[in-house]
Amino acid sequence: MKAIELLETSPVIAAVKDEGGLKRCFESECQVVFVLYGSILNIGNIVRQIKEHGKYAMIHADLTHGLSSKEIVVDFIKENTCADGIISTKPLLVKRAVELGLFGIQRTFIIDSLAMSTTKKQIDTFHPDMVEIMPGVMPKALEEIRRYTNIPIIAGGLISDKKDIMAAFNAGADAISTTREELWFM
């Protein structure tokens, strides 16, 4: 499945940060789950539960305790879980995920024009499957990235209501990710 096809099945992505959120996302129609917690001891079990509920699991490699920032982390995830992809702020991890046949999602924080420029260079250099723009409540930044690339864009961070979701979509986002559980059920 291509990245854009995946996002079309789940324009709202459940970003889970604890066991309560994990259980709640199983009740939602969200087909994609961003795992923003866990450790090397339980990440396999977390992914197993997600897969048992017929959902796609994307592990945030930077937020999983016990994993380093080395590319071997992606190999570990591929070999020891059934994850569908990884999320990382580290472009080399994203590149490695793509090489291994996992979805590679580049998470980037657009805080100024230098960050915008760096994001564009990373897209050109590392060719992620998707890019997550944080915070997702910046329509101008989303519009600029949309004009720059056809790579699927996920808006994440600080999205608090339906108005924020609609603004992100209107600015060119293909999906949004949120830890706000009430938004998983819209």
Side-chain angles (χ1 to χ4, degrees):
M1 178 179 291
K2 293 183 179 181
I4 191 65
E5 294 168 343
L6 179 65
L7 296 181
E8 286 171 352
T9 69
S10 188
V12 175
I13 297 167
V16 298
K17 57 186 177 179
D18 56 32
E19 287 294 314
L22 182 65
K23 302 297 183 224
R24 185 86 168 117
C25 86
F26 298 149
E27 301 166 12
S28 79
E29 292 184 19
C30 298
Q31 293 301 301
V32 179
V33 179
F34 282 6
V35 180
L36 308 181
Y37 76 105
S39 73
I40 59 171
L41 298 176
N42 67 359
I43 198 65
N45 184 49
I46 294 167
V47 171
R48 182 188 52 73
Q49 291 178 68
I50 293 167
K51 301 301 283 182
E52 285 175 354
H53 284 85
K55 298 179 185 287
Y56 292 87
M58 308 294 174
I59 298 173
H60 196 311
D62 306 351
L63 299 179
T64 305
H65 296 292
L67 297 180
S68 73
S69 60
K70 306 268 189 255
E71 294 165 67
I72 193 73
V73 163
V74 183
D75 294 73
F76 173 85
I77 290 168
K78 170 100 173 156
E79 295 296 322
N80 294 282
T81 77
C82 295
D84 298 289
I86 67 124
I87 308 154
S88 181
T89 59
K90 297 166 180 65
L92 289 174
L93 298 186
V94 174
K95 179 181 178 204
R96 182 66 181 151
V98 172
E99 291 170 353
L100 292 176
L102 297 171
F103 285 109
I105 304 167
Q106 177 69 48
R107 179 180 262 196
T108 187
F109 295 87
I110 305 288
I111 57 171
D112 57 19
S113 59
L114 181 59
M116 178 66 78
S117 177
T118 299
T119 297
K120 291 175 180 177
K121 288 177 188 171
Q122 289 175 342
I123 288 170
D124 289 341
T125 304
F126 298 101
H127 309 287
D129 292 309
M130 297 171 246
V131 61
E132 183 181 28
I133 303 297
M134 308 264 312
V137 292
M138 298 187 325
K140 285 184 180 180
L142 293 170
E143 289 170 358
E144 185 170 340
I145 294 293
R146 173 49 63 221
R147 283 190 303 271
Y148 185 77
T149 186
N150 288 328
I151 291 174
I153 297 170
I154 302 165
L158 300 179
I159 294 176
S160 61
D161 56 31
K162 188 173 182 175
K163 285 173 96 174
D164 291 338
I165 292 172
M166 297 312 298
F169 286 142
N170 289 336
D174 297 291
I176 64 101
S177 67
T178 181
T179 58
R180 287 192 173 258
E181 296 176 18
E182 63 272 16
L183 298 180
W184 301 346
F185 297 90
M186 297 185 68

